[in-house]
Structure formats: C-alpha cells, structure tokens
Amino acid sequence: MLDYNELEMLEGAIVIQKEYSTRLFFCYLHHLAARRKRGKNMTNKEISGIIMERGVSAIMRDGTALEADIYRPAKEGKYPVLLQRLPYNKKLLTITALVLDPITAAHAGYVVINQDVRGCFESEGHFDPYRDEFNDGYDSVEWAASLPYSDGNVGMYGVSYLGGTQFFAAVMQPPHLKAIFPIEWGMDMFYNRGGAFQLGFSAYWALQHSGPNTVMRSKAEGAEKLQNFLKLIYAADHIEEAAYFQLPLKDMPWLKIGDGIAPFFEDWLEHDTFDEFYQKTSVRPLTNQLEVPAFCMCGWYDAIIGPNLEYYQSIKAQGGSEVARNKTKLMIGPWSHGSFLNTVGELNFGLSTVLLELKRDLTTLHLQWFDFWLKNAENGIEDEAPVKIFVMGENKWRDEQEWPLARAEYTPFYFHSDGHANTRHGDGSLSTMPPTNKTSDQFIYDPQKPVPTTGGNLIMPLNYIKGPMNQAAIEDRDDVLVYTTEPLKNDTEITGPVNLKLFAVSSAPDTDFTAKLVDVYPDGKAYNVADGIIRARYRNADEAPTLIIAGEVYEYEIDLWATSNVFKVGHRIRVDISSSDFPRYDRNTNTGILGSDSSELVVAKQTVLHSDRYPSHIILPVIPR
C-alpha cells in the first residue's frame, strides 16, 4: 500500500508539475507500491488456468535476494522454464511481454519468470551495469531449474539489456540452461563508436533508467526524496539543455542530484577506450565459453547491429561447443531498437516484418525455438536456414546459409567533384571509376552549429526518430559533402558490411568525420541506409589514441556496420560526409581536449581528398543478380 503522506505529496506534485514526464512518475508510483516487508507472503492469483505469483525471491550466492514474478500453468506437473532478467521493472508488461507473451507461453506449458536484476526495483543490492550478471545469471538459472514445478530445462529470452543477461549467464555454463533467444543484445556498456561517445544514448539511459531507481533507493526521505525526483524529471524533460549541450560533460548538474544519479555515467566518460574497466564486465572475449544454441535477432536500424553481427560471427567461429557453433541462428529485420513494427522511421516495409515471413509472430517463433530445445519437439525449426535476412527496397525475407554472404562482391565507389561537393546541389559524384584529377572538397565544422541527428540507428528520446528519415534538409547544409551516382539502370543490391576509406586533412589536432550511405528516390527524397563515425585520435583502433598534425593527410576507415538494401532502377546511391551527428554523438571540440573535460570549442577547416593518390571511396558489398 502507498503511504498516505507520500501519495498526497505525489498527487500535489502531479498538479504542479504537469509538464514533466508521466513515465517517470509511473516509475515513482511503482516504487512506492512495491514497498513491503521482506518475507511477506504474496497471494497467488489464478486466472484462466494460469497461476501468477508476485515477488518470488531467489537468493544469490552472496545472500542477495532478487525478486521475480512467475506465470505458470495451474495444472500440477513439471514444466520447462523461460527466464527473463531485466533492469526495467518486471511489472511493466510493455517491456516484459514485448517479444513473448507470458500468458500464451504459460498456456503452452511453460513456467515464465521475469526477474528484476540486482539493485533494480524490488531486488536487493546495488545496480552497476552488467557487473553482477555473470554470477547472478548462473545462480538465477539454477534457482529456476530447482523450483518444484520446473522440469529442470531452462531457456532465456529478452531484448537489449535483457538479451545481454542471457549471454552473461550462458558463458558461465549453468548446467540447466539449454537454449537462449537474444534480441538486439548488449555485450557490455562500451558504446563508443569509432572513438566518439554516444552521448544521445548514454545520457538518456542514465536519466530514464538509472535515475528513478537511484532516487528511490537513496537515503533521502519524504519531501527531500520527492524534490530529488522532480529535479530528475525536469532534467529528463529538458535533456538537451540538461545533458546534450552541457560542457564539460562530466559537470552535468543532474549527475549530482541527491547522492549521485549515475556514477557509471561518469565512469563511461573517464574510460574512452575498451580498457580493463569495460573488459571485466563484457562477454565479447568469452565466446569460446558459450555452449548453448542461440537464436540471434537484430535489426538493420538497431543501435548495436554492428557489435551484434560481430558477436554472431564470433559464435560461429569460436563457440565453445559444436551445438553453439552449428545450431545458432540469425534473423535480421528492418527494425530499430526494441521496435518490431512494419513502419520504421518514415518508411513502411510491409506487414511481413511484423508477421515474420507472413508465417508467425514473435511469441510463436520463441515457442518453436524453445519447444525444440526444451521439449524435444520435432517442429522443423532446426531445418530452417541458419540465416534469415530482410532485404529492404524489395521488402522481402530471404534465406541464407551464412553471414556475411560469400557471394558478395566488395566494390569501391569513388568520390569525384570539381571542388564543390557541398550540399546536394553541388557537383559531387560517385562512381566505380577511380579519380584521375587532384581536386578536393572543403567544409567548415563548427561545433557550435553541429549537424543535427536525423534518423539512424538510435536509442534516444522519442522526439529523435529512429530509422530512415529524409536527409534533404541535412544535405542542404554547406558543411555536408554529398557524392551521388547517376540514376541506376539496374536494381543494385547491397547486402553485407559497409566500410569507407577517407583521405582527409584538418586544421585541428583532433576532429571527427561522419559518413552516411543514402538511397535517393526519383522524387528527390533521400533516406539514410547506414552510417558511421571516426574520431581522429582513435583512427588506429589497435593503437593508443594520438592526436593528428594540422594540415597533414590522414587515412580514416569508417565502419558503417551493415545493411541489406536494393537500390531500385532510377534510384541513386549517395554518400554524405561531414563532421558531426549531434546529439547522437558528443561534439568534437577540435581542441585536442575531449568534451568530457573541456567547454572550449573551436572551428575546424576540413578537406576531403579524392585523387589517384588519395582515392576516397566507399566499399559496398554488391550481390550479383
């Protein structure tokens, strides 16, 4: 029950703070409603043949109690278990039932467990992203297997952090874990890309997830706690001024609310490379310890599609058992992070994206996978192609035997211009013919006026639209170089990893370069397909960061991750080059000092070369047709 005084304060706050985020108020309500004495018996509730148990404790090896809600068949017997471990509140069905309906699964003969991870909502302990998921994952699987209504076979499922908790448990090799179904999964909290800090995601996640949890677990009481919560809500609702435009980044005032909102955010700013800090809470180097099969699902517009595909390839090459290597599957749709709708960004890819291959939904697919591995059901899923991809442009699913596709022809498309490639109205062109002249293009990168984030592979507040967005307004900016092919005479399929080699000069000791692959429609609309960024000091991934010398030519490799898109007849292939994508990535100050530590911003003059000696180009995986 809510404490009357707290409820009264909450109601007053809602009246006063009408403009603030209702989502965070709901988090506050959940926290207050969940307060109860340890050991209090919870009443089981039976609805239509399903028993729902609330607040079931699992005791970890160090004595910490993690709380779970359980859905199981009312009929006596023993059943396999499907476990989902999450930091986002096990009571929020919009999250817990996103990819698997627990009621449907319980009716199908499964025990479904949604567990708050350590330090989140009803579970004891302190939350530090991924730190405890190895041991807690192992212990939770074995606890689930020991329940009186469990038959000892356990599977795991979930999206994003919930996908990561599966791998963290699996590499520990709990004996009763038989299969997993990770979707758009995290492997650690290192989300720097090309050396650039993913500010848009990091501040958003810290505010929206960790913030409410931290405030409610703080030592503050009554009015002080409520005031801290209101400060947090204000920061979330004004994230641009409270976080994105703040410099230095480490001095964001919301970080100091109460006892500190998200200490790990400050750690992320301090550790800008994949060093020991990240490595100790990562599954990336532990692929050889994975022994169970995984059904890996991700989306072309997902914020972690690149690392996901790398990890899938690592499983196929280095998995710890023949089953992990040979039975793991991959499905890639046109989706953005945590969204499996037919409309992504401004494009509609058709209902077959929702009703997978027009055969089944996500719950049905999960049950097929787990029926095979946990119930020994011969349902044909093992015989399906190991890789299924959605080919955008044609908007069709296709079976493949490997990833990346062996038949791809990696073809360079070179930059050309007469020195005026600025904007989509300039003279920049793109072709398979190598450049022969010695011209170059220049633009000014002013971090006070960065290129705004417009679509892409995002995890950011909802006013930043994920996925494909018309880039016309971006391409009208003078600080964006645009290189475009002639209208295509044949359909051209690009499926696989996309990389770009850029030869460039900067007036700054450190700067950024961004790249977008764009599909230009006959009516002039230009939709982003893939993108990437490189921070100059991190240009050599295997070496320590070093600044550049102003005025010297450097070669940069920009990883645009991967895609599958058919550029149709009459369409054009385009590449956009600039130096910012803000606030998705933090702004490079151009001073040689990172924005985490400095508020000084200077203008940089950028030069992109395209000559026989410095042939800037994008490498596209063309599929013969």
Side-chain angles (χ1 to χ4, degrees):
M1 295 291 294
L2 290 174
D3 178 90
Y4 177 80
N5 292 327
E6 290 175 317
L7 179 57
E8 188 175 47
M9 286 192 298
L10 177 61
E11 290 175 338
I14 291 175
V15 172
I16 296 170
Q17 311 288 348
K18 287 181 179 178
E19 73 273 23
Y20 297 156
S21 295
T22 55
R23 178 180 176 185
L24 292 187
F25 273 117
F26 282 129
C27 289
Y28 186 90
L29 253 164
H30 275 293
H31 271 292
L32 295 178
R35 294 175 67 182
R36 59 184 177 81
K37 292 181 180 180
R38 228 7 112 178
K40 179 180 177 182
N41 292 325
M42 302 300 290
T43 302
N44 296 344
K45 186 179 294 185
E46 182 176 345
I47 301 176
S48 185
I50 301 300
I51 292 177
M52 296 170 21
E53 297 181 80
R54 300 296 193 189
V56 180
S57 296
I59 309 302
M60 302 294 100
R61 64 187 65 183
D62 64 354
T64 301
L66 306 188
E67 301 296 295
D69 290 346
I70 300 178
Y71 305 77
R72 60 183 175 89
K75 184 179 179 180
E76 288 191 14
K78 292 183 179 292
Y79 304 92
V81 177
L82 302 181
L83 171 65
Q84 182 173 231
R85 306 188 62 248
L86 65 157
Y88 303 124
N89 193 345
K90 65 185 182 307
K91 292 183 177 179
L92 295 180
L93 290 178
T94 53
I95 295 173
T96 58
L98 180 62
V99 295
L100 173 69
D101 176 14
I103 302 299
T104 299
H107 277 296
Y110 286 95
V111 176
V112 182
I113 301 177
N114 292 320
Q115 182 189 65
D116 288 334
V117 300
R118 180 182 295 250
C120 290
F121 296 90
E122 293 187 346
S123 289
E124 294 179 347
H126 172 71
F127 177 73
D128 195 342
Y130 288 128
R131 182 195 62 187
D132 297 294
E133 309 306 358
F134 289 111
N135 290 339
D136 286 356
Y138 181 103
D139 292 352
S140 296
V141 167
E142 294 306 293
W143 163 77
S146 72
L147 293 170
Y149 34 77
S150 168
D151 69 2
N153 294 300
V154 180
M156 296 184 72
Y157 71 101
V159 181
S160 192
Y161 193 101
L162 293 61
T165 57
Q166 299 174 56
F167 280 115
F168 277 79
V171 298
M172 297 297 287
Q173 301 174 5
H176 293 91
L177 184 63
K178 306 301 181 183
I180 59 177
F181 202 122
I183 302 178
E184 299 173 345
W185 62 95
M187 294 172 290
D188 46 53
M189 295 308 296
F190 183 68
Y191 288 124
N192 287 19
R193 187 173 176 194
F197 181 58
Q198 294 212 47
L199 176 63
F201 158 74
S202 300
Y204 169 67
W205 197 80
L207 273 168
Q208 295 281 8
H209 162 62
S210 182
N213 201 53
T214 303
V215 168
M216 296 314 301
R217 287 173 175 269
S218 69
K219 296 178 182 178
E221 294 291 340
E224 181 184 358
K225 179 173 288 189
L226 181 57
Q227 286 303 312
N228 286 340
F229 201 80
L230 294 179
K231 291 177 183 177
L232 176 69
I233 289 172
Y234 185 89
D237 277 350
H238 301 80
I239 193 169
E240 278 78 13
E241 63 188 74
Y244 293 160
F245 279 96
Q246 284 284 326
L247 288 173
L249 297 178
K250 67 180 181 182
D251 290 341
M252 294 180 188
W254 61 268
L255 288 170
K256 310 303 181 184
I257 295 174
D259 299 325
I261 291 300
F264 56 80
F265 183 88
E266 298 174 80
D267 290 335
W268 296 345
L269 291 174
E270 183 179 345
H271 297 270
D272 55 349
T273 62
F274 189 63
D275 58 12
E276 184 181 357
F277 169 78
Y278 290 107
Q279 293 168 14
K280 65 185 179 183
T281 54
S282 176
V283 294
R284 292 179 198 240
L286 303 176
T287 316
N288 61 352
Q289 295 179 204
L290 180 71
E291 295 191 343
V292 297
F295 197 114
C296 301
M297 180 180 285
C298 43
W300 295 125
Y301 286 103
D302 181 50
I304 43 180
I305 176 68
N308 282 180
L309 291 177
E310 286 182 13
Y311 198 67
Y312 168 79
Q313 291 175 248
S314 180
I315 293 172
K316 300 296 285 187
Q318 305 173 37
S321 70
E322 184 177 349
V323 169
R325 292 190 299 274
N326 297 333
K327 302 300 182 180
T328 286
K329 292 182 180 291
L330 175 66
M331 174 179 276
I332 316 173
W335 310 301
S336 59
H337 192 77
S339 179
F340 308 98
L341 303 175
N342 52 299
T343 298
V344 185
E346 294 180 352
L347 297 181
N348 187 337
F349 292 103
L351 284 176
S352 68
T353 64
V354 181
L355 303 172
L356 308 176
E357 306 171 274
L358 296 177
K359 296 178 184 177
R360 51 199 169 184
D361 60 13
L362 278 172
T363 291
T364 303
L365 181 59
H366 275 76
L367 293 180
Q368 277 188 277
W369 179 250
F370 289 122
D371 281 352
F372 180 82
W373 290 106
L374 276 64
K375 293 184 175 181
N376 298 316
E378 294 297 331
N379 55 20
I381 196 167
E382 183 189 25
D383 300 325
E384 293 184 11
V387 176
K388 292 180 183 292
I389 64 173
F390 188 88
V391 183
M392 299 182 293
E394 284 191 339
N395 295 347
K396 293 181 179 179
W397 288 97
R398 190 170 71 206
D399 289 349
E400 296 290 351
Q401 296 303 309
E402 75 279 314
W403 179 266
L405 309 188
R407 66 183 183 280
E409 298 176 354
Y410 291 88
T411 306
F413 283 70
Y414 297 93
F415 299 177
H416 302 267
S417 82
D418 288 327
H420 304 287
N422 310 73
T423 82
R424 61 193 173 114
H425 308 292
D427 63 6
S429 64
L430 190 69
S431 78
T432 56
M433 296 295 295
T436 56
N437 59 19
K438 295 184 179 181
T439 56
S440 59
D441 294 297
Q442 295 182 341
F443 66 95
I444 298 298
Y445 162 46
D446 183 354
Q448 295 275 19
K449 303 174 183 177
V451 176
T453 295
T454 305
N457 301 49
L458 311 179
I459 304 177
M460 291 177 65
L462 294 180
N463 55 303
Y464 293 90
I465 307 300
K466 309 174 188 175
M469 297 283 290
N470 187 5
Q471 301 295 305
I474 298 300
E475 294 169 347
D476 282 340
R477 292 176 58 113
D478 199 54
D479 55 356
V480 178
L481 303 180
V482 180
Y483 303 94
T484 313
T485 66
E486 293 295 318
L488 298 173
K489 296 181 179 179
N490 299 292
D491 288 355
T492 303
E493 180 183 337
I494 306 300
T495 296
V498 178
N499 290 279
L500 187 143
K501 290 192 175 182
L502 186 75
F503 294 91
V505 177
S506 178
S507 63
D510 188 28
T511 195
D512 292 347
F513 289 101
T514 63
K516 288 181 184 176
L517 174 65
V518 179
D519 186 349
V520 185
Y521 284 48
D523 62 2
K525 290 181 179 178
Y527 293 104
N528 49 296
V529 175
D531 58 53
I533 188 170
I534 189 70
R535 183 151 290 176
R537 69 171 66 204
Y538 303 105
R539 63 196 177 279
N540 299 316
D542 298 327
E543 301 177 10
T546 56
L547 299 179
I548 58 175
I549 299 174
E552 290 201 2
V553 179
Y554 290 90
E555 179 180 352
Y556 300 97
E557 292 192 13
I558 304 179
D559 184 358
L560 282 70
W561 287 347
T563 192
S564 180
N565 188 78
V566 174
F567 293 77
K568 305 291 286 184
V569 170
H571 288 221
R572 292 177 289 166
I573 301 172
R574 174 174 288 171
V575 173
D576 294 344
I577 301 294
S578 192
S579 285
S580 49
D581 183 351
F582 178 79
R584 180 181 178 185
Y585 303 105
D586 69 319
R587 293 168 290 174
N588 197 307
T589 65
N590 294 328
T591 65
I593 302 175
L594 296 175
S596 57
D597 299 310
S598 175
S599 59
E600 182 186 1
L601 300 174
V602 301
V603 171
K605 182 179 180 181
Q606 318 286 51
T607 302
V608 170
L609 308 174
H610 39 80
S611 64
D612 53 354
R613 183 178 179 184
Y614 300 116
S616 294
H617 60 279
I618 191 170
I619 304 170
L620 299 179
V622 178
I623 305 300
R625 298 172 72 85

